[in-house]
Amino acid sequence: MNTLDQIDIRNQRVLIRTDLNVPIQDGTVTSDARIQAALPTIRQAMDSGAAVLVMSHLGRPTEGAPEAEFSLAPVAARLTELLGCPVELVQDWIDGVEIAPGEVKLLENVRFLKGEKANDEALAARIAALCDVFVMDAFAAAHRAHASTEGLARRLPAYAGRTMQAELEALEKALTTPKRPVMAVVGGAKVSSKIDLLANLVKKVDTLVIGGGMANTFLAAKGVDVGKSLCEHDLADTARMIMAAAEKAGCEIVQPADAVVAKEFKAGADNETVALDAIPADGMILDVGPASIAKVNEKIDQAATLVWNGPLGAFEIAPFDKATVAAAQHAAERTKQGKLNSVAGGGDTVAALNHANAGSAFSYVSTAGGAFLEWLEGKELPGVKALEA
Ligand code: 3PG
Ligand code: MG
């Protein structure tokens, strides 16, 4: 894969595809992690004397016409602050953009264009005409074979940006060539959304901790009465299949040893910690208890590598954030001591780690949601594959 180290981009028009699909509330960016991650590549391209066009999608607008709700304007404002120079947002850019070397401009949401999501060849050709060099830095959108990701990489001299490089290096170090023992923590609500991920991970890791609502499906499959807990009873066979695959591969699955149950799903709900054979018929498991936390932390102590995706309990509502916070902080501590390579990503995970004040201590926190999951599923990401070609 070619990187910015392989090319002199002075006086070249460089188009950088980033993932600036960030949360926005009332016109303000509420988490700028993805904008921060885009800075090194943008800065390097500007400093190298390139004319820099930054491209991204935002949300899922109806294609064909701009919609104010999905404008990148708040992102342009934040990018201006972070770069310390004005970043103009270009509305109508498809027919050409005036830009000088050393300058940077942000192109309005590429998903406003018809053909972007269908990876339309004619659209990709028109975008390609805007620049000399394509830099793909949107790892978080690399699972999409869109015109601005896969399409451009195929038709222009294409290079991986710094975030793309960092994401792939971190993931490969954690799962392709990990220091062992390697463990994974997988949580979240549903088994159904993570079947491929679990099936791939049991072949790769030594220990797999299953938490969150999806652990209930595994407990039920083993005959535990989980009361009114979130549980996909129809996936009992799938859970048993994953457990059998784990056993065959020599992967130890760590399931909850006790449960924190409540009668309602709400912050501060009355709750009790019970053994697995004592879950009340009208109770819901909202977190794992101290015995489970001790077990997870013991596994973290034994591990050299940790891959984390998904919370262990309903971390959004206190006090059911306890296990997630305790384990995340323990992993952060081991990482600070230099004993653990910890990589996290995907959906709620980053929010959960930040809630625990643990994210910044992890070795690497991915900017990606769906792309991180697909990578863990062992799938080829089209936006990465096109760079390798
Ligand atoms: C994400 O947030 O997962 C990426 O930006 C991709 O967005 P999408 O799921 O709308 O393609
Ligand atoms: Mg997504």
Side-chain angles (χ1 to χ4, degrees), residues 19 21 34 57 60 111 140 143-144 368-371:
D19 188 330
N21 183 25
R34 284 180 171 177
H57 71 283
R60 294 176 176 173
R111 282 195 187 165
H143 57 319
R144 307 292 182 213

mmCIF file of all heavy atoms in Angstrom, residues 19 21 34 57 60 111 140 143-144 368-371, ligand 2:
data_model
loop_
_atom_site.group_PDB
_atom_site.id
_atom_site.type_symbol
_atom_site.label_atom_id
_atom_site.label_comp_id
_atom_site.label_asym_id
_atom_site.label_seq_id
_atom_site.Cartn_x
_atom_site.Cartn_y
_atom_site.Cartn_z
ATOM 1 N N ASP A 19 -13.243 10.717 6.886
ATOM 2 C CA ASP A 19 -14.564 10.446 7.439
ATOM 3 C C ASP A 19 -14.842 11.485 8.514
ATOM 4 O O ASP A 19 -14.372 11.359 9.640
ATOM 5 C CB ASP A 19 -14.662 9.032 8.006
ATOM 6 C CG ASP A 19 -16.104 8.712 8.402
ATOM 7 O OD1 ASP A 19 -16.840 9.654 8.784
ATOM 8 O OD2 ASP A 19 -16.512 7.534 8.326
ATOM 9 N N ASN A 21 -17.867 12.270 9.375
ATOM 10 C CA ASN A 21 -19.251 11.974 9.748
ATOM 11 C C ASN A 21 -19.324 11.974 11.278
ATOM 12 O O ASN A 21 -19.218 10.941 11.915
ATOM 13 C CB ASN A 21 -19.619 10.605 9.177
ATOM 14 C CG ASN A 21 -21.055 10.226 9.453
ATOM 15 O OD1 ASN A 21 -21.917 11.085 9.652
ATOM 16 N ND2 ASN A 21 -21.317 8.923 9.495
ATOM 17 N N ARG A 34 -13.141 12.405 15.085
ATOM 18 C CA ARG A 34 -12.826 12.110 13.679
ATOM 19 C C ARG A 34 -12.172 13.310 12.984
ATOM 20 O O ARG A 34 -11.364 13.122 12.067
ATOM 21 C CB ARG A 34 -14.098 11.682 12.931
ATOM 22 C CG ARG A 34 -14.502 10.254 13.264
ATOM 23 C CD ARG A 34 -15.754 9.844 12.532
ATOM 24 N NE ARG A 34 -16.005 8.420 12.693
ATOM 25 C CZ ARG A 34 -17.065 7.786 12.212
ATOM 26 N NH1 ARG A 34 -17.987 8.464 11.550
ATOM 27 N NH2 ARG A 34 -17.209 6.498 12.394
ATOM 28 N N HIS A 57 -18.482 12.389 3.732
ATOM 29 C CA HIS A 57 -19.945 12.305 3.794
ATOM 30 C C HIS A 57 -20.356 12.731 5.192
ATOM 31 O O HIS A 57 -19.525 12.827 6.101
ATOM 32 C CB HIS A 57 -20.417 10.878 3.500
ATOM 33 C CG HIS A 57 -20.117 9.902 4.604
ATOM 34 N ND1 HIS A 57 -18.855 9.379 4.804
ATOM 35 C CD2 HIS A 57 -20.889 9.397 5.587
ATOM 36 C CE1 HIS A 57 -18.871 8.568 5.845
ATOM 37 N NE2 HIS A 57 -20.092 8.562 6.350
ATOM 38 N N ARG A 60 -26.936 10.287 6.424
ATOM 39 C CA ARG A 60 -27.498 9.534 5.295
ATOM 40 C C ARG A 60 -28.596 10.342 4.613
ATOM 41 O O ARG A 60 -29.776 10.015 4.708
ATOM 42 C CB ARG A 60 -28.046 8.198 5.788
ATOM 43 C CG ARG A 60 -26.928 7.301 6.304
ATOM 44 C CD ARG A 60 -27.452 6.015 6.890
ATOM 45 N NE ARG A 60 -26.336 5.142 7.278
ATOM 46 C CZ ARG A 60 -26.465 4.003 7.943
ATOM 47 N NH1 ARG A 60 -27.664 3.595 8.297
ATOM 48 N NH2 ARG A 60 -25.421 3.285 8.259
ATOM 49 N N ARG A 111 -22.400 12.838 -0.253
ATOM 50 C CA ARG A 111 -23.617 12.023 -0.405
ATOM 51 C C ARG A 111 -24.806 12.834 -0.936
ATOM 52 O O ARG A 111 -25.870 12.277 -1.156
ATOM 53 C CB ARG A 111 -23.991 11.345 0.915
ATOM 54 C CG ARG A 111 -23.134 10.145 1.193
ATOM 55 C CD ARG A 111 -23.689 9.236 2.282
ATOM 56 N NE ARG A 111 -22.705 8.205 2.582
ATOM 57 C CZ ARG A 111 -22.730 7.439 3.650
ATOM 58 N NH1 ARG A 111 -23.693 7.587 4.533
ATOM 59 N NH2 ARG A 111 -21.792 6.522 3.846
ATOM 60 N N ALA A 140 -12.856 4.686 8.463
ATOM 61 C CA ALA A 140 -14.204 4.489 9.016
ATOM 62 C C ALA A 140 -15.278 4.347 7.944
ATOM 63 O O ALA A 140 -16.391 3.921 8.228
ATOM 64 C CB ALA A 140 -14.557 5.630 9.971
ATOM 65 N N HIS A 143 -15.559 0.421 4.537
ATOM 66 C CA HIS A 143 -16.415 -0.744 4.293
ATOM 67 C C HIS A 143 -17.479 -0.417 3.246
ATOM 68 O O HIS A 143 -18.268 -1.279 2.883
ATOM 69 C CB HIS A 143 -17.052 -1.238 5.591
ATOM 70 C CG HIS A 143 -17.868 -0.212 6.342
ATOM 71 N ND1 HIS A 143 -17.467 1.089 6.475
ATOM 72 C CD2 HIS A 143 -19.055 -0.310 6.988
ATOM 73 C CE1 HIS A 143 -18.374 1.749 7.185
ATOM 74 N NE2 HIS A 143 -19.345 0.929 7.502
ATOM 75 N N ARG A 144 -17.506 0.818 2.791
ATOM 76 C CA ARG A 144 -18.461 1.223 1.754
ATOM 77 C C ARG A 144 -17.749 1.293 0.406
ATOM 78 O O ARG A 144 -16.752 2.012 0.272
ATOM 79 C CB ARG A 144 -19.037 2.607 2.071
ATOM 80 C CG ARG A 144 -19.638 2.750 3.465
ATOM 81 C CD ARG A 144 -20.893 1.932 3.611
ATOM 82 N NE ARG A 144 -21.494 2.096 4.928
ATOM 83 C CZ ARG A 144 -22.156 1.126 5.563
ATOM 84 N NH1 ARG A 144 -22.261 -0.068 5.019
ATOM 85 N NH2 ARG A 144 -22.694 1.342 6.737
ATOM 86 N N ALA A 368 -13.507 4.205 13.811
ATOM 87 C CA ALA A 368 -14.524 3.534 13.000
ATOM 88 C C ALA A 368 -15.596 2.825 13.815
ATOM 89 O O ALA A 368 -15.341 2.348 14.927
ATOM 90 C CB ALA A 368 -13.850 2.532 12.068
ATOM 91 N N GLY A 369 -16.785 2.768 13.237
ATOM 92 C CA GLY A 369 -17.875 1.982 13.776
ATOM 93 C C GLY A 369 -18.014 0.706 12.968
ATOM 94 O O GLY A 369 -17.364 -0.304 13.234
ATOM 95 N N GLY A 370 -18.830 0.791 11.923
ATOM 96 C CA GLY A 370 -19.091 -0.377 11.084
ATOM 97 C C GLY A 370 -17.840 -0.958 10.438
ATOM 98 O O GLY A 370 -17.704 -2.179 10.317
ATOM 99 N N ALA A 371 -16.904 -0.105 10.038
ATOM 100 C CA ALA A 371 -15.697 -0.605 9.371
ATOM 101 C C ALA A 371 -14.838 -1.421 10.342
ATOM 102 O O ALA A 371 -14.252 -2.441 9.963
ATOM 103 C CB ALA A 371 -14.883 0.557 8.802
HETATM 104 MG MG MG B 2 -22.467 3.204 10.340
#
